mmCIF file of all heavy atoms in Angstrom:
data_model
loop_
_atom_site.group_PDB
_atom_site.id
_atom_site.type_symbol
_atom_site.label_atom_id
_atom_site.label_comp_id
_atom_site.label_asym_id
_atom_site.label_seq_id
_atom_site.Cartn_x
_atom_site.Cartn_y
_atom_site.Cartn_z
ATOM 1 N N ILE A 93 97.586 107.252 107.593
ATOM 2 C CA ILE A 93 98.099 107.167 108.952
ATOM 3 C C ILE A 93 98.517 108.560 109.397
ATOM 4 O O ILE A 93 98.648 109.475 108.578
ATOM 5 C CB ILE A 93 99.315 106.220 109.070
ATOM 6 C CG1 ILE A 93 100.457 106.726 108.177
ATOM 7 C CG2 ILE A 93 98.930 104.785 108.756
ATOM 8 C CD1 ILE A 93 101.750 105.966 108.344
ATOM 9 N N VAL A 94 98.719 108.720 110.674
ATOM 10 C CA VAL A 94 99.312 109.948 111.202
ATOM 11 C C VAL A 94 100.562 109.529 111.968
ATOM 12 O O VAL A 94 100.471 108.980 113.063
ATOM 13 C CB VAL A 94 98.350 110.718 112.123
ATOM 14 C CG1 VAL A 94 99.032 111.987 112.638
ATOM 15 C CG2 VAL A 94 97.064 111.074 111.386
ATOM 16 N N SER A 95 101.704 109.753 111.355
ATOM 17 C CA SER A 95 102.967 109.428 112.016
ATOM 18 C C SER A 95 103.310 110.513 113.020
ATOM 19 O O SER A 95 103.005 111.694 112.807
ATOM 20 C CB SER A 95 104.093 109.311 110.990
ATOM 21 O OG SER A 95 103.822 108.296 110.055
ATOM 22 N N GLN A 96 103.931 110.118 114.107
ATOM 23 C CA GLN A 96 104.348 111.067 115.134
ATOM 24 C C GLN A 96 105.859 110.979 115.305
ATOM 25 O O GLN A 96 106.425 109.890 115.319
ATOM 26 C CB GLN A 96 103.655 110.768 116.463
ATOM 27 C CG GLN A 96 102.142 110.904 116.417
ATOM 28 C CD GLN A 96 101.503 110.662 117.770
ATOM 29 O OE1 GLN A 96 102.196 110.606 118.781
ATOM 30 N NE2 GLN A 96 100.197 110.515 117.793
ATOM 31 N N TYR A 97 106.477 112.126 115.424
ATOM 32 C CA TYR A 97 107.925 112.187 115.576
ATOM 33 C C TYR A 97 108.287 113.094 116.736
ATOM 34 O O TYR A 97 107.605 114.087 116.997
ATOM 35 C CB TYR A 97 108.588 112.746 114.310
ATOM 36 C CG TYR A 97 108.287 111.987 113.050
ATOM 37 C CD1 TYR A 97 107.211 112.344 112.244
ATOM 38 C CD2 TYR A 97 109.078 110.918 112.664
ATOM 39 C CE1 TYR A 97 106.928 111.653 111.076
ATOM 40 C CE2 TYR A 97 108.815 110.220 111.498
ATOM 41 C CZ TYR A 97 107.733 110.589 110.705
ATOM 42 O OH TYR A 97 107.458 109.898 109.553
ATOM 43 N N GLU A 98 109.359 112.758 117.415
ATOM 44 C CA GLU A 98 109.941 113.655 118.400
ATOM 45 C C GLU A 98 111.004 114.480 117.688
ATOM 46 O O GLU A 98 111.929 113.934 117.098
ATOM 47 C CB GLU A 98 110.559 112.883 119.564
ATOM 48 C CG GLU A 98 109.504 112.256 120.488
ATOM 49 C CD GLU A 98 110.138 111.527 121.651
ATOM 50 O OE1 GLU A 98 111.394 111.490 121.703
ATOM 51 O OE2 GLU A 98 109.408 110.998 122.492
ATOM 52 N N VAL A 99 110.826 115.785 117.713
ATOM 53 C CA VAL A 99 111.707 116.683 116.980
ATOM 54 C C VAL A 99 112.502 117.536 117.960
ATOM 55 O O VAL A 99 111.940 118.123 118.885
ATOM 56 C CB VAL A 99 110.893 117.604 116.043
ATOM 57 C CG1 VAL A 99 111.824 118.495 115.245
ATOM 58 C CG2 VAL A 99 110.015 116.769 115.120
ATOM 59 N N GLU A 100 113.801 117.592 117.739
ATOM 60 C CA GLU A 100 114.666 118.397 118.593
ATOM 61 C C GLU A 100 114.850 119.783 117.982
ATOM 62 O O GLU A 100 115.183 119.913 116.799
ATOM 63 C CB GLU A 100 116.026 117.732 118.760
ATOM 64 C CG GLU A 100 116.972 118.474 119.696
ATOM 65 C CD GLU A 100 118.272 117.731 119.903
ATOM 66 O OE1 GLU A 100 118.366 116.570 119.460
ATOM 67 O OE2 GLU A 100 119.194 118.314 120.506
ATOM 68 N N HIS A 101 114.618 120.810 118.792
ATOM 69 C CA HIS A 101 114.797 122.179 118.323
ATOM 70 C C HIS A 101 116.280 122.409 118.046
ATOM 71 O O HIS A 101 117.139 122.077 118.876
ATOM 72 C CB HIS A 101 114.299 123.174 119.369
ATOM 73 C CG HIS A 101 114.173 124.573 118.868
ATOM 74 N ND1 HIS A 101 115.260 125.412 118.726
ATOM 75 C CD2 HIS A 101 113.091 125.288 118.456
ATOM 76 C CE1 HIS A 101 114.870 126.580 118.265
ATOM 77 N NE2 HIS A 101 113.543 126.536 118.087
ATOM 78 N N GLU A 102 116.576 122.966 116.882
ATOM 79 C CA GLU A 102 117.966 123.099 116.455
ATOM 80 C C GLU A 102 118.779 124.012 117.364
ATOM 81 O O GLU A 102 119.986 123.842 117.504
ATOM 82 C CB GLU A 102 118.001 123.628 115.016
ATOM 83 C CG GLU A 102 117.423 122.645 114.011
ATOM 84 C CD GLU A 102 117.406 123.205 112.605
ATOM 85 O OE1 GLU A 102 117.519 124.448 112.473
ATOM 86 O OE2 GLU A 102 117.280 122.417 111.659
ATOM 87 N N ASP A 103 118.130 124.980 117.971
ATOM 88 C CA ASP A 103 118.857 125.940 118.810
ATOM 89 C C ASP A 103 118.808 125.587 120.291
ATOM 90 O O ASP A 103 119.843 125.512 120.968
ATOM 91 C CB ASP A 103 118.297 127.349 118.593
ATOM 92 C CG ASP A 103 118.492 127.833 117.172
ATOM 93 O OD1 ASP A 103 119.531 127.490 116.574
ATOM 94 O OD2 ASP A 103 117.594 128.534 116.657
ATOM 95 N N SER A 104 117.598 125.375 120.807
ATOM 96 C CA SER A 104 117.443 125.165 122.241
ATOM 97 C C SER A 104 117.627 123.718 122.673
ATOM 98 O O SER A 104 117.904 123.440 123.842
ATOM 99 C CB SER A 104 116.055 125.645 122.686
ATOM 100 O OG SER A 104 115.042 124.803 122.131
ATOM 101 N N GLY A 105 117.425 122.776 121.732
ATOM 102 C CA GLY A 105 117.521 121.364 122.096
ATOM 103 C C GLY A 105 116.242 120.820 122.702
ATOM 104 O O GLY A 105 116.183 119.640 123.074
ATOM 105 N N ASP A 106 115.195 121.660 122.816
ATOM 106 C CA ASP A 106 113.920 121.200 123.351
ATOM 107 C C ASP A 106 113.295 120.166 122.416
ATOM 108 O O ASP A 106 113.460 120.219 121.198
ATOM 109 C CB ASP A 106 112.948 122.376 123.527
ATOM 110 C CG ASP A 106 113.416 123.345 124.599
ATOM 111 O OD1 ASP A 106 114.203 122.925 125.468
ATOM 112 O OD2 ASP A 106 113.004 124.518 124.559
ATOM 113 N N ILE A 107 112.558 119.238 123.010
ATOM 114 C CA ILE A 107 111.913 118.174 122.247
ATOM 115 C C ILE A 107 110.421 118.468 122.112
ATOM 116 O O ILE A 107 109.753 118.811 123.086
ATOM 117 C CB ILE A 107 112.111 116.799 122.915
ATOM 118 C CG1 ILE A 107 113.604 116.475 123.044
ATOM 119 C CG2 ILE A 107 111.400 115.709 122.119
ATOM 120 C CD1 ILE A 107 114.319 116.332 121.722
ATOM 121 N N ALA A 108 109.905 118.353 120.908
ATOM 122 C CA ALA A 108 108.477 118.551 120.660
ATOM 123 C C ALA A 108 107.970 117.419 119.779
ATOM 124 O O ALA A 108 108.747 116.758 119.076
ATOM 125 C CB ALA A 108 108.221 119.901 119.990
ATOM 126 N N THR A 109 106.667 117.171 119.809
ATOM 127 C CA THR A 109 106.052 116.141 118.983
ATOM 128 C C THR A 109 105.525 116.758 117.696
ATOM 129 O O THR A 109 104.854 117.789 117.714
ATOM 130 C CB THR A 109 104.887 115.456 119.724
ATOM 131 O OG1 THR A 109 105.385 114.878 120.939
ATOM 132 C CG2 THR A 109 104.264 114.365 118.874
ATOM 133 N N PHE A 110 105.859 116.114 116.582
ATOM 134 C CA PHE A 110 105.428 116.597 115.268
ATOM 135 C C PHE A 110 104.524 115.550 114.643
ATOM 136 O O PHE A 110 104.871 114.370 114.572
ATOM 137 C CB PHE A 110 106.647 116.846 114.384
ATOM 138 C CG PHE A 110 106.310 117.312 112.995
ATOM 139 C CD1 PHE A 110 105.921 118.624 112.756
ATOM 140 C CD2 PHE A 110 106.401 116.448 111.919
ATOM 141 C CE1 PHE A 110 105.618 119.056 111.477
ATOM 142 C CE2 PHE A 110 106.102 116.866 110.634
ATOM 143 C CZ PHE A 110 105.715 118.185 110.419
ATOM 144 N N MET A 111 103.336 115.968 114.186
ATOM 145 C CA MET A 111 102.367 115.071 113.559
ATOM 146 C C MET A 111 102.473 115.179 112.042
ATOM 147 O O MET A 111 102.533 116.299 111.501
ATOM 148 C CB MET A 111 100.936 115.437 113.975
ATOM 149 C CG MET A 111 100.740 115.614 115.466
ATOM 150 S SD MET A 111 100.983 114.064 116.367
ATOM 151 C CE MET A 111 100.710 114.652 118.047
ATOM 152 N N LEU A 112 102.466 114.061 111.349
ATOM 153 C CA LEU A 112 102.546 114.080 109.894
ATOM 154 C C LEU A 112 101.550 113.081 109.295
ATOM 155 O O LEU A 112 101.850 111.897 109.162
ATOM 156 C CB LEU A 112 103.963 113.744 109.429
ATOM 157 C CG LEU A 112 104.191 113.809 107.917
ATOM 158 C CD1 LEU A 112 103.929 115.224 107.405
ATOM 159 C CD2 LEU A 112 105.597 113.364 107.564
ATOM 160 N N PRO A 113 100.356 113.539 108.923
ATOM 161 C CA PRO A 113 99.407 112.653 108.238
ATOM 162 C C PRO A 113 99.978 112.223 106.886
ATOM 163 O O PRO A 113 100.567 113.033 106.165
ATOM 164 C CB PRO A 113 98.166 113.540 108.059
ATOM 165 C CG PRO A 113 98.296 114.587 109.125
ATOM 166 C CD PRO A 113 99.770 114.856 109.217
ATOM 167 N N ARG A 114 99.779 110.958 106.544
ATOM 168 C CA ARG A 114 100.316 110.408 105.293
ATOM 169 C C ARG A 114 99.205 109.702 104.536
ATOM 170 O O ARG A 114 98.376 109.010 105.123
ATOM 171 C CB ARG A 114 101.443 109.423 105.600
ATOM 172 C CG ARG A 114 102.599 109.989 106.399
ATOM 173 C CD ARG A 114 103.461 110.918 105.579
ATOM 174 N NE ARG A 114 104.094 110.222 104.471
ATOM 175 C CZ ARG A 114 105.253 109.543 104.568
ATOM 176 N NH1 ARG A 114 105.881 109.491 105.728
ATOM 177 N NH2 ARG A 114 105.777 108.948 103.521
#
Side-chain angles (χ1 to χ4, degrees):
I93 60 173
V94 180
S95 300
Q96 297 183 12
Y97 303 92
E98 288 181 358
V99 182
E100 183 176 351
H101 192 281
E102 294 177 342
D103 297 325
S104 68
D106 293 337
I107 301 296
T109 301
F110 178 77
M111 311 294 179
L112 183 61
R114 302 287 297 275

